[in-house]
Amino acid sequence: MNIKICFFALVFLLMASISFSQYKTNPNINNYLKTNPIRPLNTNMSATNVELGILAGFARFEGGTGMNVGLFAEIKTESFSFVPQANYWKTDDMNNFEMAGLVRMKFKTGSLEPYVDGGIGLNFLNSHNPEKNDTKVGLDLGGGIDFVGSNSNYTLFGDAKYKIIVGDPNIKGITLSGGIKFAL
């Protein structure tokens, strides 16, 4: 008996929804679309864009000096950027490959755009000291300046980062870099 009641209730709801949709699509009835035509969306909204870049520069970690290089992508939104990157630095007695993700806040001031950023990374550290060879988490804090020129296809930049590779003891250092970003 309950199955029959449920079946008839389902059929009644189905018929009611079909008749309602036919009522709403009747062209003779003055409806909302006739009185309020569809307008195109505002296309002036800024869309997310992506830039690919390379960097190279100077590194100083635990008293040793050396060089650093890196590749990154900057995924921009209206208020911030997400910057996944791969970095390599080498000093006198250590080298490190890092995969990191940063959040970047920019301050638009014209042709110079300063920024601050910070994030975390996964570090593959190698050293002459076997106790320091390990895969460790690192923190990156820094900032820089984008030199936005008249050509919108590329941007030159300068960047500085303070890096901490978390361990016992922590490994701390700085990288100073310059590079170029290409808009996609």
Side-chain angles (χ1 to χ4, degrees):
M1 184 70 176
N2 288 338
I3 295 175
K4 289 181 183 179
I5 293 172
C6 289
F7 177 74
F8 285 118
L10 182 64
V11 169
F12 176 75
L13 290 173
L14 181 64
M15 295 302 287
S17 68
I18 290 172
S19 65
F20 182 74
S21 64
Q22 288 177 353
Y23 166 77
K24 285 298 206 184
T25 59
N26 185 349
N28 297 328
I29 297 174
N30 188 9
N31 61 18
Y32 179 80
L33 291 177
K34 284 185 178 178
T35 58
N36 298 314
I38 297 174
R39 295 182 190 108
L41 293 174
N42 182 4
T43 57
N44 293 333
M45 296 171 53
S46 67
T48 302
N49 58 19
V50 178
E51 293 180 336
L52 297 178
I54 57 173
L55 60 88
F58 168 78
R60 181 167 174 82
F61 283 85
E62 300 292 312
T65 59
M67 59 79 145
N68 74 312
V69 294
L71 298 170
F72 65 92
E74 184 172 352
I75 304 163
K76 297 180 177 182
T77 64
E78 199 167 311
S79 58
F80 69 93
S81 298
F82 177 66
V83 184
Q85 59 183 333
N87 298 313
Y88 175 79
W89 57 261
K90 180 174 178 43
T91 62
D92 299 333
D93 62 343
M94 287 189 287
N95 62 43
N96 181 56
F97 176 73
E98 174 190 40
M99 294 183 301
L102 305 174
V103 175
R104 180 169 290 167
M105 302 295 287
K106 289 196 173 197
F107 307 101
K108 297 192 184 259
T109 60
S111 64
L112 296 177
E113 291 183 1
Y115 61 85
V116 295
D117 55 12
I120 60 173
L122 186 61
N123 293 274
F124 302 96
L125 182 67
N126 289 318
S127 173
H128 294 300
N129 182 356
E131 294 175 4
K132 290 187 179 180
N133 294 348
D134 204 358
T135 302
K136 299 179 180 181
V137 174
L139 302 173
D140 294 355
L141 301 170
I145 297 175
D146 285 345
F147 301 100
V148 181
S150 60
N151 189 345
S152 63
N153 292 335
Y154 67 90
T155 302
L156 299 175
F157 67 91
D159 186 79
K161 294 278 187 286
Y162 179 69
K163 297 179 180 266
I164 302 170
I165 300 174
V166 179
D168 189 24
N170 292 340
I171 298 170
K172 301 172 189 171
I174 61 167
T175 60
L176 300 173
S177 308
I180 188 167
K181 297 188 278 190
F182 297 97
L184 295 182

